[in-house]
Amino acid sequence: MAAEGNEKRAPRWRRRKEARPAEILAAALEIFGERGYEATRLVDVARRAGCTKGTIFLYYENKIELFKAAVREVMLPLVLETERLVESHRGTSRELVEQLLRLRWDHMMRNRLSGLVKLMLGETRTYPELARFYNDEFIERNQALLRRVLQDGVDRGEFRPMDVIQAARFLVAPMMFATVWRHAFEHAVGTPGTLEEYFETALGIMLAGLVTGGVPQHA
């Protein structure tokens, strides 16, 4: 009977062990978001994850590697979903741009992405390695997709001629503003209307400016 009991407990222990990296990343994301990179201590991450500090080092070499893994945990699903959307899209370029921006907005507002962006804005001057990592693995990858979609729209005559490098940066600028407002000002002064209304207004203006004939012509 004792052996049978041990056999029943073993799978539960294996599942717990396999879950450790996910538990550590979840705890790290919470504490990095609350305290910033500098003030986050691995011992506090371990305590919240229900393990020891030594356990963290079984999976991550140091704090910066833990941070990178935590960022990937949040960002990679968005990047992969964005790439799948671009590859499978069969409609107009305008429709695709709108879907891409709505997807990014949804991740920012409903997931942990906006807090992560705020964290990166606050830490990258002190830790330029974090800025390079975030840019190389996520910003540039997303920007390359946007540039591709914009250039396709121009080539098809659907979008007016433009500098696609600068246009791709402009398309995400309203979301950056929303992130700053949400985390730095909204708690103190509120938001005129709602951030959803802000996004819909910005989206309409940007889409109108992309399409041929979308920009008013001066007499």
Side-chain angles (χ1 to χ4, degrees):
M1 292 295 292
E4 182 180 351
N6 290 336
E7 290 175 0
K8 290 181 179 179
R9 283 194 296 270
R12 185 162 61 245
W13 168 249
R14 285 197 296 269
R15 287 198 299 271
R16 179 68 175 172
K17 189 175 181 180
E18 291 164 0
R20 277 297 186 208
E23 294 168 348
I24 293 170
L25 288 181
L29 281 169
E30 291 176 0
I31 296 181
F32 280 130
E34 293 168 5
R35 307 179 187 178
Y37 180 83
E38 177 67 30
T40 293
R41 302 187 308 163
L42 293 185
V43 65
D44 295 327
V45 173
R47 186 178 297 114
R48 189 168 298 189
C51 65
T52 66
K53 182 178 175 180
T55 302
I56 293 179
F57 289 115
L58 294 176
Y59 303 100
Y60 309 103
E61 183 178 355
N62 49 43
K63 185 166 79 167
I64 196 167
E65 292 305 318
L66 174 61
F67 180 82
K68 290 178 180 180
V71 172
R72 292 186 183 108
E73 180 76 5
V74 175
M75 289 298 301
L76 194 56
L78 173 60
V79 172
L80 295 176
E81 189 174 356
T82 298
E83 290 174 344
R84 286 193 295 268
L85 180 58
V86 171
E87 294 301 328
S88 63
H89 184 72
R90 296 295 179 267
T92 66
S93 297
R94 184 191 184 282
E95 291 169 341
L96 180 53
V97 169
E98 180 174 357
Q99 290 175 30
L100 291 173
L101 295 181
R102 288 190 181 281
L103 175 62
R104 188 181 181 109
W105 177 262
D106 185 67
H107 274 260
M108 287 188 66
M109 293 296 107
R110 292 172 176 77
N111 299 334
R112 294 167 291 189
L113 181 54
S114 66
L116 177 59
V117 172
K118 177 225 176 190
L119 172 61
M120 296 302 300
L121 291 174
E123 301 284 2
T124 51
R125 180 169 292 277
T126 306
Y127 299 95
E129 179 183 348
L130 299 182
R132 289 189 291 269
F133 154 74
Y134 191 76
N135 179 75
D136 294 347
E137 293 204 17
F138 304 109
I139 293 178
E140 180 54 31
R141 194 166 168 181
N142 276 310
Q143 284 288 289
L145 282 172
L146 277 175
R147 293 195 295 266
R148 171 183 163 186
V149 173
L150 291 172
Q151 189 60 57
D152 285 346
V154 172
D155 294 342
R156 294 164 62 178
E158 186 180 343
F159 292 163
R160 63 184 180 82
M162 69 184 76
D163 181 338
V164 296
I165 294 176
Q166 301 307 327
R169 296 173 68 187
F170 172 74
L171 288 177
V172 300
M175 299 183 202
M176 297 297 292
F177 174 81
T179 294
V180 172
W181 188 271
R182 183 182 189 187
H183 290 281
F185 296 99
E186 189 173 48
H187 71 285
V189 299
T191 299
T194 66
L195 287 177
E196 289 289 343
E197 292 169 337
Y198 158 79
F199 171 71
E200 292 297 333
T201 299
L203 181 63
I205 292 171
M206 291 189 297
L207 292 175
L210 290 175
V211 297
T212 304
V215 178
Q217 299 297 313
H218 295 289

